[in-house]
Amino acid sequence: MAAEASADVIVVGAGLAGLVATAELADTGRKVLLLDQEPPASLGGQAHWSFGGLFFVDSPEQRRMRIRDSHELALQDWLGTAGFDRDCDTWPRRWAEAYVDFAAGEKRAWLKAQGMKFFPVVGWAERGGYDAMGHGNSVPRFHITWGTGPGVVEPFLRRVRAAIDKGLVVLKTRHRVDELTVTAGAVDGVRGQVLEHSDVARGEKSSRVELRPFEFSAQAVVVTSGGIGGNHDLVRRNWPERLGTPPKHMLSGVPAHVDGRMIGITEKAGGNAINGDRMWHYTEGIQNWDPIWPMHGIRILPGPSSLWLDARGKRLPVPLFPGFDTLGTLEHIMRGGHEHTWFVLTQKIIEKEFALSGSEQNPDLTGRSVRGVLGRALPGAPGPVEAFKKHGVDFIVENDLRTLISRMNALTPEPLLDEEQVEREIRARDREIRNPFTKDLQITALRGARNYLGDKLIRVATPHRLLDPKAGPLIAVRLSIITRKSLGGLETDLSSRVLQGSGEPLPGVYAAGEAAGFGGGGMHGYRALEGTFLGGCIFSGRVAGRAAAAATA
Protein backbone atom coordinates (compact mmCIF):
# COMPACT_ATOMS: atom_id res chain seq x y z
CA MET A 1 0.00 0.00 0.00
CA ALA A 2 1.13 3.59 -0.64
CA ALA A 3 2.26 5.57 2.36
CA GLU A 4 0.28 8.62 3.45
CA ALA A 5 2.50 11.70 3.86
CA SER A 6 0.45 13.34 6.58
CA ALA A 7 3.00 14.80 9.00
CA ASP A 8 6.46 16.25 9.41
CA VAL A 9 7.21 13.88 12.28
CA ILE A 10 5.64 10.64 13.52
CA VAL A 11 5.77 9.95 17.26
CA VAL A 12 5.26 6.29 18.22
CA GLY A 13 3.90 6.00 21.76
CA ALA A 14 1.59 8.37 23.64
CA GLY A 15 3.10 7.93 27.08
CA LEU A 16 4.78 10.76 28.95
CA ALA A 17 7.88 10.96 26.72
CA GLY A 18 5.71 10.86 23.59
CA LEU A 19 3.43 13.62 24.86
CA VAL A 20 6.41 15.81 25.77
CA ALA A 21 8.07 15.27 22.38
CA THR A 22 4.79 15.96 20.57
CA ALA A 23 4.14 19.13 22.56
CA GLU A 24 7.64 20.43 21.84
CA LEU A 25 7.32 19.65 18.14
CA ALA A 26 3.92 21.33 17.88
CA ASP A 27 5.25 24.44 19.61
CA THR A 28 7.56 24.93 16.62
CA GLY A 29 4.70 24.56 14.14
CA ARG A 30 5.63 21.04 13.04
CA LYS A 31 2.78 18.77 12.03
CA VAL A 32 2.87 15.61 14.14
CA LEU A 33 1.20 12.22 13.80
CA LEU A 34 0.99 10.63 17.26
CA LEU A 35 0.38 6.87 17.19
CA ASP A 36 -0.42 4.48 20.02
CA GLN A 37 -1.65 0.88 20.06
CA GLU A 38 -3.87 1.41 23.10
CA PRO A 39 -7.32 3.07 23.33
CA PRO A 40 -7.64 6.80 24.10
CA ALA A 41 -8.26 6.00 27.78
CA SER A 42 -4.59 5.05 28.16
CA LEU A 43 -3.04 8.35 27.06
CA GLY A 44 -0.12 9.15 29.34
CA GLY A 45 0.89 5.50 29.61
CA GLN A 46 2.65 4.28 32.75
CA ALA A 47 3.19 7.80 34.04
CA HIS A 48 -0.51 8.07 34.85
CA TRP A 49 -0.20 5.22 37.36
CA SER A 50 2.91 6.56 39.07
CA PHE A 51 3.33 8.16 42.48
CA GLY A 52 4.58 11.24 40.65
CA GLY A 53 8.04 11.42 42.21
CA LEU A 54 10.53 13.81 40.61
CA PHE A 55 14.25 14.24 41.29
CA PHE A 56 15.25 17.87 41.94
CA VAL A 57 18.57 19.16 43.24
CA ASP A 58 18.79 22.09 45.69
CA SER A 59 15.08 22.84 45.36
CA PRO A 60 13.11 25.35 47.48
CA GLU A 61 11.35 22.35 49.08
CA GLN A 62 14.70 20.89 50.11
CA ARG A 63 15.95 24.17 51.49
CA ARG A 64 12.77 24.64 53.54
CA MET A 65 13.36 21.16 55.01
CA ARG A 66 16.95 22.17 55.92
CA ILE A 67 18.45 19.86 53.30
CA ARG A 68 21.77 21.01 51.88
CA ASP A 69 22.03 19.66 48.37
CA SER A 70 24.23 20.63 45.44
CA HIS A 71 24.96 19.73 41.83
CA GLU A 72 28.30 18.24 42.92
CA LEU A 73 26.71 16.02 45.58
CA ALA A 74 23.95 14.88 43.22
CA LEU A 75 26.42 13.99 40.47
CA GLN A 76 28.58 12.13 43.00
CA ASP A 77 25.52 10.12 44.07
CA TRP A 78 24.44 9.47 40.48
CA LEU A 79 27.81 8.23 39.27
CA GLY A 80 28.35 6.16 42.42
CA THR A 81 24.95 4.57 41.89
CA ALA A 82 25.20 4.08 38.12
CA GLY A 83 28.57 2.33 38.19
CA PHE A 84 29.28 2.99 34.51
CA ASP A 85 31.92 0.45 33.49
CA ARG A 86 31.29 -0.54 29.87
CA ASP A 87 32.66 0.71 26.55
CA CYS A 88 29.06 1.45 25.51
CA ASP A 89 28.52 3.72 28.54
CA THR A 90 29.90 6.84 26.83
CA TRP A 91 26.52 8.22 25.81
CA PRO A 92 24.67 7.00 28.93
CA ARG A 93 27.19 8.84 31.10
CA ARG A 94 26.87 12.02 29.03
CA TRP A 95 23.09 11.81 29.37
CA ALA A 96 23.45 11.30 33.13
CA GLU A 97 25.59 14.42 33.43
CA ALA A 98 23.16 16.40 31.27
CA TYR A 99 20.19 15.20 33.33
CA VAL A 100 21.77 16.16 36.65
CA ASP A 101 22.46 19.59 35.12
CA PHE A 102 18.76 19.79 34.19
CA ALA A 103 17.58 18.62 37.63
CA ALA A 104 19.83 21.17 39.34
CA GLY A 105 18.93 23.88 36.84
CA GLU A 106 15.82 24.77 34.89
CA LYS A 107 13.78 21.59 35.41
CA ARG A 108 11.68 22.71 38.38
CA ALA A 109 11.06 26.25 37.11
CA TRP A 110 10.13 24.94 33.65
CA LEU A 111 7.63 22.45 35.08
CA LYS A 112 6.25 24.97 37.57
CA ALA A 113 5.65 27.45 34.72
CA GLN A 114 3.41 24.81 33.15
CA GLY A 115 1.31 24.56 36.31
CA MET A 116 2.92 21.71 38.22
CA LYS A 117 3.11 21.94 42.01
CA PHE A 118 4.96 19.80 44.53
CA PHE A 119 4.28 18.36 47.99
CA PRO A 120 6.32 20.32 50.55
CA VAL A 121 7.87 17.31 52.34
CA VAL A 122 10.72 15.78 50.33
CA GLY A 123 11.03 11.99 50.43
CA TRP A 124 14.23 10.03 50.92
CA ALA A 125 14.41 7.04 48.56
CA GLU A 126 17.30 4.64 47.89
CA ARG A 127 19.27 5.60 51.00
CA GLY A 128 22.23 3.42 50.10
CA GLY A 129 24.10 2.48 53.24
CA TYR A 130 27.58 2.12 51.76
CA ASP A 131 30.34 4.75 51.56
CA ALA A 132 30.11 8.33 50.29
CA MET A 133 30.98 7.34 46.72
CA GLY A 134 28.70 4.32 46.65
CA HIS A 135 25.05 3.76 45.80
CA GLY A 136 22.23 5.92 47.08
CA ASN A 137 20.91 9.40 47.75
CA SER A 138 23.01 11.26 50.33
CA VAL A 139 20.02 13.52 51.00
CA PRO A 140 16.25 13.43 50.35
CA ARG A 141 15.44 14.34 46.73
CA PHE A 142 12.10 12.63 46.00
CA HIS A 143 9.57 15.38 45.27
CA ILE A 144 5.96 14.19 45.02
CA THR A 145 3.93 16.01 42.40
CA TRP A 146 0.65 17.49 43.62
CA GLY A 147 -1.75 15.29 41.67
CA THR A 148 0.76 12.36 41.51
CA GLY A 149 1.17 10.74 38.08
CA PRO A 150 -1.87 12.41 36.47
CA GLY A 151 -0.48 15.74 37.69
CA VAL A 152 2.78 15.04 35.85
CA VAL A 153 1.00 14.08 32.63
CA GLU A 154 -1.55 16.91 32.76
CA PRO A 155 0.43 19.88 31.40
CA PHE A 156 1.80 17.94 28.44
CA LEU A 157 -1.54 16.34 27.61
CA ARG A 158 -3.09 19.82 27.75
CA ARG A 159 -0.48 21.14 25.31
CA VAL A 160 -1.03 18.20 22.95
CA ARG A 161 -4.82 18.63 23.02
CA ALA A 162 -4.40 22.33 22.24
CA ALA A 163 -2.18 21.39 19.29
CA ILE A 164 -4.84 18.91 18.09
CA ASP A 165 -7.40 21.71 18.16
CA LYS A 166 -5.04 23.84 16.03
CA GLY A 167 -4.61 21.05 13.50
CA LEU A 168 -0.92 20.59 14.26
CA VAL A 169 -1.28 17.14 15.84
CA VAL A 170 -3.30 14.15 14.66
CA LEU A 171 -3.75 11.47 17.31
CA LYS A 172 -4.40 7.93 16.09
CA THR A 173 -4.97 5.35 18.82
CA ARG A 174 -5.31 1.60 18.14
CA HIS A 175 -2.51 1.96 15.58
CA ARG A 176 0.18 -0.64 16.29
CA VAL A 177 3.49 -0.01 14.56
CA ASP A 178 5.16 -3.20 13.29
CA GLU A 179 7.95 -1.76 11.13
CA LEU A 180 10.01 1.35 10.53
CA THR A 181 10.32 1.98 6.79
CA VAL A 182 13.79 2.74 5.46
CA THR A 183 14.67 4.34 2.13
CA ALA A 184 18.28 4.86 1.03
CA GLY A 185 19.46 4.16 4.59
CA ALA A 186 17.13 6.69 6.26
CA VAL A 187 14.00 5.99 8.31
CA ASP A 188 11.10 7.72 6.57
CA GLY A 189 7.94 6.25 8.05
CA VAL A 190 6.11 3.39 9.73
CA ARG A 191 3.96 0.40 8.82
CA GLY A 192 1.57 -1.45 11.04
CA GLN A 193 -1.94 -2.64 11.77
CA VAL A 194 -5.08 -0.84 12.88
CA LEU A 195 -6.49 -2.81 15.82
CA GLU A 196 -10.19 -3.22 16.47
CA HIS A 197 -11.99 -0.66 18.64
CA SER A 198 -11.72 -1.26 22.37
CA ASP A 199 -13.65 0.28 25.23
CA VAL A 200 -11.51 -1.20 28.01
CA ALA A 201 -10.63 1.10 30.88
CA ARG A 202 -7.16 2.56 31.31
CA GLY A 203 -4.59 -0.15 31.98
CA GLU A 204 -6.84 -3.09 31.16
CA LYS A 205 -5.62 -5.54 28.54
CA SER A 206 -6.96 -4.57 25.11
CA SER A 207 -7.72 -6.66 22.03
CA ARG A 208 -5.04 -7.41 19.43
CA VAL A 209 -7.49 -8.24 16.62
CA GLU A 210 -6.21 -6.62 13.41
CA LEU A 211 -8.56 -4.76 11.06
CA ARG A 212 -6.35 -3.42 8.26
CA PRO A 213 -2.78 -2.36 7.54
CA PHE A 214 -1.55 1.23 7.51
CA GLU A 215 1.56 3.01 6.30
CA PHE A 216 2.59 6.61 7.01
CA SER A 217 5.62 8.58 5.91
CA ALA A 218 7.35 11.56 7.49
CA GLN A 219 10.68 13.34 7.62
CA ALA A 220 11.44 11.81 11.03
CA VAL A 221 10.14 9.22 13.50
CA VAL A 222 10.43 9.52 17.29
CA VAL A 223 10.19 6.22 19.21
CA THR A 224 8.71 6.69 22.71
CA SER A 225 7.07 3.33 23.23
CA GLY A 226 8.30 2.33 26.70
CA GLY A 227 10.16 -0.67 28.06
CA ILE A 228 9.65 -4.41 28.61
CA GLY A 229 8.16 -4.66 32.13
CA GLY A 230 4.84 -6.11 30.97
CA ASN A 231 6.53 -8.86 28.96
CA HIS A 232 7.77 -11.37 31.53
CA ASP A 233 9.32 -13.66 28.92
CA LEU A 234 11.43 -10.76 27.65
CA VAL A 235 12.35 -9.77 31.21
CA ARG A 236 13.60 -13.30 31.89
CA ARG A 237 15.44 -13.43 28.55
CA ASN A 238 17.36 -10.27 29.47
CA TRP A 239 17.85 -11.22 33.14
CA PRO A 240 21.53 -10.78 34.08
CA GLU A 241 23.54 -13.51 35.77
CA ARG A 242 24.66 -11.00 38.42
CA LEU A 243 21.06 -10.91 39.76
CA GLY A 244 20.85 -14.67 40.15
CA THR A 245 18.28 -16.99 38.62
CA PRO A 246 15.32 -15.28 36.92
CA PRO A 247 12.15 -15.50 39.01
CA LYS A 248 9.59 -18.12 38.03
CA HIS A 249 6.82 -15.97 39.48
CA MET A 250 6.67 -12.20 39.14
CA LEU A 251 3.98 -9.59 39.63
CA SER A 252 3.53 -6.89 37.00
CA GLY A 253 4.04 -3.30 38.06
CA VAL A 254 3.02 -2.10 34.59
CA PRO A 255 0.15 -2.93 32.17
CA ALA A 256 0.46 -5.74 29.63
CA HIS A 257 0.98 -3.34 26.70
CA VAL A 258 4.45 -2.42 28.06
CA ASP A 259 5.88 -5.09 25.79
CA GLY A 260 9.18 -3.73 24.44
CA ARG A 261 8.19 -4.37 20.81
CA MET A 262 9.45 -1.08 19.36
CA ILE A 263 12.98 -1.58 20.66
CA GLY A 264 13.34 -4.72 18.56
CA ILE A 265 11.56 -3.10 15.62
CA THR A 266 14.00 -0.17 15.69
CA GLU A 267 16.93 -2.59 15.87
CA LYS A 268 15.68 -4.29 12.70
CA ALA A 269 15.74 -0.89 10.97
CA GLY A 270 19.41 -0.46 11.94
CA GLY A 271 19.27 1.09 15.40
CA ASN A 272 21.53 -0.12 18.20
CA ALA A 273 20.12 -1.25 21.56
CA ILE A 274 22.48 -1.53 24.54
CA ASN A 275 22.40 -2.52 28.22
CA GLY A 276 19.38 -4.79 27.86
CA ASP A 277 20.47 -6.64 31.00
CA ARG A 278 20.15 -3.52 33.15
CA MET A 279 16.70 -3.41 34.69
CA TRP A 280 14.86 -2.08 37.70
CA HIS A 281 12.48 -4.40 39.52
CA TYR A 282 11.21 -4.12 43.07
CA THR A 283 11.29 -6.65 45.88
CA GLU A 284 8.39 -5.26 47.95
CA GLY A 285 5.55 -6.32 45.64
CA ILE A 286 2.12 -7.38 46.88
CA GLN A 287 -0.77 -8.77 44.88
CA ASN A 288 -3.39 -6.16 44.10
CA TRP A 289 -6.63 -7.33 45.71
CA ASP A 290 -8.53 -5.27 43.09
CA PRO A 291 -6.42 -5.80 39.93
CA ILE A 292 -6.62 -3.76 36.73
CA TRP A 293 -4.13 -5.59 34.50
CA PRO A 294 -2.86 -9.21 34.48
CA MET A 295 -0.75 -10.20 37.52
CA HIS A 296 -1.20 -6.65 38.82
CA GLY A 297 1.16 -5.91 41.68
CA ILE A 298 1.59 -2.87 43.90
CA ARG A 299 4.88 -1.86 45.45
CA ILE A 300 5.07 -0.97 49.12
CA LEU A 301 7.05 2.23 49.66
CA PRO A 302 8.42 1.31 53.08
CA GLY A 303 9.93 3.35 55.84
CA PRO A 304 13.06 1.89 57.45
CA SER A 305 11.62 0.17 60.56
CA SER A 306 10.08 -3.12 59.36
CA LEU A 307 12.10 -6.25 60.06
CA TRP A 308 12.96 -7.83 56.71
CA LEU A 309 13.23 -11.63 56.76
CA ASP A 310 14.12 -14.02 53.97
CA ALA A 311 11.96 -17.04 53.12
CA ARG A 312 13.51 -19.05 55.97
CA GLY A 313 13.16 -16.32 58.58
CA LYS A 314 16.69 -14.90 58.63
CA ARG A 315 17.21 -11.14 58.58
CA LEU A 316 18.53 -9.67 55.38
CA PRO A 317 22.15 -8.50 55.73
CA VAL A 318 23.39 -4.94 56.21
CA PRO A 319 22.55 -2.56 54.51
CA LEU A 320 19.56 -4.28 52.90
CA PHE A 321 16.98 -2.49 54.99
CA PRO A 322 13.61 -1.34 53.63
CA GLY A 323 14.16 1.53 51.19
CA PHE A 324 17.98 1.38 51.05
CA ASP A 325 19.16 -0.65 48.05
CA THR A 326 16.60 -2.08 45.64
CA LEU A 327 18.88 -4.08 43.35
CA GLY A 328 21.24 -5.15 46.11
CA THR A 329 18.21 -6.66 47.83
CA LEU A 330 16.98 -8.26 44.61
CA GLU A 331 20.37 -9.90 44.02
CA HIS A 332 20.49 -11.25 47.58
CA ILE A 333 16.98 -12.68 47.34
CA MET A 334 17.47 -14.35 43.97
CA ARG A 335 20.73 -15.97 45.08
CA GLY A 336 19.01 -17.39 48.16
CA GLY A 337 16.92 -19.98 46.33
CA HIS A 338 13.48 -18.57 47.16
CA GLU A 339 11.62 -15.69 45.56
CA HIS A 340 9.54 -14.33 48.43
CA THR A 341 10.52 -12.48 51.59
CA TRP A 342 8.65 -11.08 54.60
CA PHE A 343 8.16 -7.82 56.41
CA VAL A 344 7.34 -8.17 60.09
CA LEU A 345 6.09 -4.99 61.72
CA THR A 346 3.51 -3.48 64.03
CA GLN A 347 0.36 -1.43 63.63
CA LYS A 348 2.36 1.57 64.86
CA ILE A 349 4.84 1.10 61.99
CA ILE A 350 2.25 0.53 59.28
CA GLU A 351 0.40 3.69 60.28
CA LYS A 352 3.46 5.89 59.95
CA GLU A 353 5.66 4.16 57.37
CA PHE A 354 3.60 2.31 54.79
CA ALA A 355 2.75 4.02 51.52
CA LEU A 356 1.72 2.33 48.29
CA SER A 357 3.13 3.25 44.92
CA GLY A 358 0.58 4.41 42.37
CA SER A 359 -1.76 7.29 41.72
CA GLU A 360 -4.84 5.16 42.41
CA GLN A 361 -3.42 4.13 45.81
CA ASN A 362 -3.04 7.75 46.93
CA PRO A 363 -6.43 9.37 46.28
CA ASP A 364 -5.68 12.32 48.57
CA LEU A 365 -2.52 13.38 46.73
CA THR A 366 -3.93 12.43 43.32
CA GLY A 367 -7.15 14.31 43.99
CA ARG A 368 -5.24 17.29 45.40
CA SER A 369 -7.18 17.09 48.66
CA VAL A 370 -5.50 19.12 51.41
CA ARG A 371 -7.96 17.72 53.95
CA GLY A 372 -7.18 14.18 52.82
CA VAL A 373 -3.43 14.69 53.11
CA LEU A 374 -3.80 16.20 56.58
CA GLY A 375 -5.82 13.12 57.50
CA ARG A 376 -2.65 11.05 57.19
CA ALA A 377 -1.54 12.52 60.51
CA LEU A 378 -4.59 11.04 62.26
CA PRO A 379 -4.52 7.60 63.94
CA GLY A 380 -4.78 4.67 61.59
CA ALA A 381 -3.08 3.76 58.34
CA PRO A 382 -4.10 5.48 55.09
CA GLY A 383 -7.31 4.05 53.63
CA PRO A 384 -5.70 2.15 50.74
CA VAL A 385 -3.17 0.57 53.12
CA GLU A 386 -5.95 -0.51 55.47
CA ALA A 387 -7.82 -1.96 52.48
CA PHE A 388 -4.81 -4.11 51.61
CA LYS A 389 -4.45 -5.12 55.24
CA LYS A 390 -8.07 -6.24 55.22
CA HIS A 391 -8.39 -7.75 51.73
CA GLY A 392 -4.85 -8.43 50.51
CA VAL A 393 -3.80 -12.08 50.40
CA ASP A 394 -0.25 -11.15 51.45
CA PHE A 395 -1.19 -9.55 54.80
CA ILE A 396 -1.45 -11.39 58.12
CA VAL A 397 -2.52 -9.66 61.34
CA GLU A 398 -2.23 -11.35 64.75
CA ASN A 399 -1.67 -10.44 68.39
CA ASP A 400 0.36 -13.57 69.14
CA LEU A 401 3.79 -14.12 67.51
CA ARG A 402 3.57 -17.92 67.29
CA THR A 403 0.16 -17.70 65.61
CA LEU A 404 1.53 -15.09 63.22
CA ILE A 405 4.43 -17.36 62.21
CA SER A 406 2.10 -20.35 61.81
CA ARG A 407 -0.11 -18.36 59.44
CA MET A 408 2.95 -17.13 57.54
CA ASN A 409 3.95 -20.76 56.93
CA ALA A 410 0.41 -21.58 55.79
CA LEU A 411 0.63 -18.84 53.12
CA THR A 412 3.52 -20.46 51.23
CA PRO A 413 3.64 -23.77 49.30
CA GLU A 414 5.89 -25.27 51.98
CA PRO A 415 6.40 -24.18 55.60
CA LEU A 416 9.91 -22.78 55.39
CA LEU A 417 9.93 -20.63 58.52
CA ASP A 418 11.43 -22.02 61.71
CA GLU A 419 9.38 -20.55 64.56
CA GLU A 420 12.33 -20.46 66.96
CA GLN A 421 14.57 -18.76 64.37
CA VAL A 422 12.01 -16.02 63.68
CA GLU A 423 11.35 -15.46 67.35
CA ARG A 424 15.10 -15.22 68.06
CA GLU A 425 15.49 -12.57 65.35
CA ILE A 426 12.62 -10.49 66.69
CA ARG A 427 13.58 -10.72 70.36
CA ALA A 428 17.24 -9.97 69.61
CA ARG A 429 16.21 -6.88 67.65
CA ASP A 430 13.88 -5.80 70.47
CA ARG A 431 16.64 -6.01 73.07
CA GLU A 432 18.67 -3.50 71.05
CA ILE A 433 15.85 -0.92 71.23
CA ARG A 434 16.14 -0.47 75.01
CA ASN A 435 19.18 1.84 74.78
CA PRO A 436 19.82 4.99 72.75
CA PHE A 437 23.00 3.29 71.45
CA THR A 438 23.17 -0.05 69.63
CA LYS A 439 25.25 -2.34 67.44
CA ASP A 440 22.20 -3.01 65.23
CA LEU A 441 22.81 -0.84 62.16
CA GLN A 442 19.15 -0.84 61.11
CA ILE A 443 18.21 0.72 64.43
CA THR A 444 21.05 3.20 64.04
CA ALA A 445 19.74 4.02 60.55
CA LEU A 446 16.15 4.58 61.61
CA ARG A 447 17.23 6.80 64.49
CA GLY A 448 19.42 8.71 62.08
CA ALA A 449 16.48 9.04 59.67
CA ARG A 450 14.47 10.75 62.39
CA ASN A 451 17.10 13.50 62.46
CA TYR A 452 15.54 14.57 59.16
CA LEU A 453 12.41 16.58 59.92
CA GLY A 454 10.41 15.13 57.03
CA ASP A 455 11.01 11.55 58.19
CA LYS A 456 10.24 12.40 61.80
CA LEU A 457 6.96 14.09 60.89
CA ILE A 458 5.39 11.64 58.47
CA ARG A 459 7.69 8.78 57.53
CA VAL A 460 9.55 7.04 60.39
CA ALA A 461 7.86 5.64 63.46
CA THR A 462 9.26 6.24 66.92
CA PRO A 463 11.63 3.30 67.62
CA HIS A 464 9.86 0.64 69.67
CA ARG A 465 9.87 -3.08 70.38
CA LEU A 466 8.00 -5.18 67.83
CA LEU A 467 6.60 -7.26 70.67
CA ASP A 468 5.37 -4.24 72.64
CA PRO A 469 1.62 -4.90 73.06
CA LYS A 470 0.95 -1.16 72.93
CA ALA A 471 2.35 -1.02 69.40
CA GLY A 472 0.36 -4.00 68.12
CA PRO A 473 -1.11 -5.96 66.62
CA LEU A 474 1.74 -7.71 64.82
CA ILE A 475 1.64 -7.71 61.03
CA ALA A 476 3.44 -9.89 58.49
CA VAL A 477 3.50 -9.10 54.77
CA ARG A 478 4.61 -11.58 52.12
CA LEU A 479 6.65 -9.79 49.45
CA SER A 480 7.16 -10.80 45.81
CA ILE A 481 9.30 -9.56 42.92
CA ILE A 482 7.45 -6.96 40.85
CA THR A 483 8.57 -5.86 37.38
CA ARG A 484 8.92 -2.19 36.60
CA LYS A 485 11.56 -0.49 34.41
CA SER A 486 14.06 -1.16 31.65
CA LEU A 487 17.29 0.73 32.37
CA GLY A 488 18.81 -0.05 28.97
CA GLY A 489 17.43 0.71 25.52
CA LEU A 490 18.13 2.33 22.19
CA GLU A 491 21.49 4.08 22.12
CA THR A 492 21.11 7.81 21.44
CA ASP A 493 23.37 10.83 21.27
CA LEU A 494 22.64 14.05 23.16
CA SER A 495 20.20 15.06 20.41
CA SER A 496 18.20 11.83 20.96
CA ARG A 497 19.23 10.54 17.52
CA VAL A 498 19.24 6.74 17.50
CA LEU A 499 22.73 5.42 16.78
CA GLN A 500 23.77 2.47 14.66
CA GLY A 501 26.25 -0.15 15.76
CA SER A 502 28.96 1.90 14.04
CA GLY A 503 28.23 4.82 16.34
CA GLU A 504 26.82 6.94 13.52
CA PRO A 505 23.23 8.25 13.74
CA LEU A 506 20.55 6.27 11.91
CA PRO A 507 19.08 9.05 9.75
CA GLY A 508 15.48 10.01 10.47
CA VAL A 509 14.88 8.27 13.81
CA TYR A 510 14.97 9.53 17.40
CA ALA A 511 14.13 7.83 20.70
CA ALA A 512 13.16 9.01 24.17
CA GLY A 513 11.85 7.74 27.47
CA GLU A 514 12.20 4.16 28.61
CA ALA A 515 12.70 2.91 25.04
CA ALA A 516 16.00 4.84 25.08
CA GLY A 517 16.95 3.87 28.63
CA PHE A 518 15.70 7.36 29.55
CA GLY A 519 18.52 8.74 27.43
CA GLY A 520 21.61 7.39 25.73
CA GLY A 521 20.59 3.76 26.09
CA GLY A 522 20.80 3.76 29.88
CA MET A 523 21.54 6.98 31.75
CA HIS A 524 20.92 5.25 35.10
CA GLY A 525 23.65 2.68 34.61
CA TYR A 526 23.05 -0.33 36.85
CA ARG A 527 20.91 1.38 39.48
CA ALA A 528 18.57 4.33 39.90
CA LEU A 529 18.24 7.02 42.55
CA GLU A 530 14.41 7.09 42.18
CA GLY A 531 12.28 10.01 41.09
CA THR A 532 14.37 9.86 37.93
CA PHE A 533 12.11 7.83 35.61
CA LEU A 534 9.38 10.42 35.03
CA GLY A 535 12.03 13.12 34.87
CA GLY A 536 14.03 11.05 32.40
CA CYS A 537 10.95 10.75 30.16
CA ILE A 538 10.35 14.49 30.38
CA PHE A 539 13.98 15.44 29.71
CA SER A 540 14.60 13.01 26.86
CA GLY A 541 11.18 13.70 25.33
CA ARG A 542 11.95 17.42 25.35
CA VAL A 543 15.36 16.86 23.77
CA ALA A 544 13.94 14.53 21.10
CA GLY A 545 11.08 16.88 20.24
CA ARG A 546 13.32 19.92 19.91
CA ALA A 547 15.98 18.06 17.94
CA ALA A 548 13.46 16.53 15.52
CA ALA A 549 11.87 19.95 15.06
CA ALA A 550 15.23 21.48 14.18
CA ALA A 551 16.02 18.68 11.74
CA THR A 552 12.70 18.99 9.90
CA ALA A 553 12.71 22.77 9.53
Side-chain angles (χ1 to χ4, degrees), residues 200-211:
V200 299
R202 179 186 290 275
E204 292 182 0
K205 191 172 184 178
S206 62
S207 166
R208 289 295 178 262
V209 174
E210 300 172 358
L211 297 182

Side-chain angles (χ1 to χ4, degrees), residues 86 88-89 91-92 267 272-277 487-491 520-522:
R86 296 175 175 174
C88 66
D89 280 336
W91 287 111
E267 283 187 284
N272 190 40
I274 58 175
N275 297 319
D277 63 323
L487 297 187
L490 296 166
E491 186 179 19

Side-chain angles (χ1 to χ4, degrees), residues 122-330:
V122 184
W124 196 352
E126 288 297 301
R127 302 180 188 219
Y130 304 93
D131 60 36
M133 295 180 66
H135 166 66
N137 284 294
S138 299
V139 298
R141 296 192 178 103
F142 191 85
H143 297 67
I144 301 169
T145 305
W146 191 232
T148 65
V152 175
V153 172
E154 187 178 87
F156 303 105
L157 186 56
R158 181 176 63 244
R159 290 170 61 190
V160 169
R161 291 196 186 282
I164 291 173
D165 292 341
K166 292 177 182 178
L168 291 170
V169 174
V170 174
L171 170 65
K172 290 183 179 291
T173 56
R174 305 300 286 156
H175 279 60
R176 186 192 68 204
V177 173
D178 298 324
E179 181 185 357
L180 298 182
T181 59
V182 181
T183 302
V187 172
D188 59 0
V190 298
R191 293 192 186 103
Q193 292 286 332
V194 178
L195 305 179
E196 71 174 354
H197 175 76
S198 176
D199 286 324
V200 299
R202 179 186 290 275
E204 292 182 0
K205 191 172 184 178
S206 62
S207 166
R208 289 295 178 262
V209 174
E210 300 172 358
L211 297 182
R212 61 185 181 277
F214 69 82
E215 183 172 351
F216 300 113
S217 65
Q219 296 179 59
V221 175
V222 182
V223 177
T224 57
S225 53
I228 67 173
N231 186 335
H232 289 194
D233 289 338
L234 200 52
V235 169
R236 292 189 182 96
R237 201 179 309 155
N238 284 279
W239 194 270
E241 184 179 345
R242 67 179 180 277
L243 293 182
T245 304
K248 295 179 181 177
H249 168 73
M250 293 183 287
L251 300 175
S252 282
V254 295
H257 65 256
V258 185
D259 53 21
R261 291 180 71 255
M262 281 304 302
I263 298 174
I265 288 168
T266 308
E267 283 187 284
K268 288 181 181 179
N272 190 40
I274 58 175
N275 297 319
D277 63 323
R278 292 177 179 172
M279 50 187 68
W280 190 253
H281 307 305
Y282 293 112
T283 54
E284 311 97 330
I286 50 177
Q287 297 180 55
N288 194 342
W289 64 273
D290 188 18
I292 297 171
W293 54 78
M295 298 174 285
H296 189 174
I298 297 293
R299 184 207 175 194
I300 296 171
L301 302 172
S305 298
S306 296
L307 192 69
W308 205 337
L309 304 177
D310 67 17
R312 293 193 176 277
K314 186 176 180 180
R315 280 181 77 173
L316 270 59
V318 174
L320 306 184
F321 313 134
F324 278 66
D325 181 359
T326 293
L327 286 200
T329 306
L330 177 60

Side-chain angles (χ1 to χ4, degrees), residues 88-117:
C88 66
D89 280 336
T90 298
W91 287 111
R93 180 173 179 134
R94 290 180 184 177
W95 269 91
E97 293 167 348
Y99 181 70
V100 174
D101 290 346
F102 181 58
E106 65 174 308
K107 177 183 176 184
R108 185 185 179 281
W110 185 65
L111 295 175
K112 190 171 184 295
Q114 297 182 69
M116 288 177 62
K117 298 180 180 179

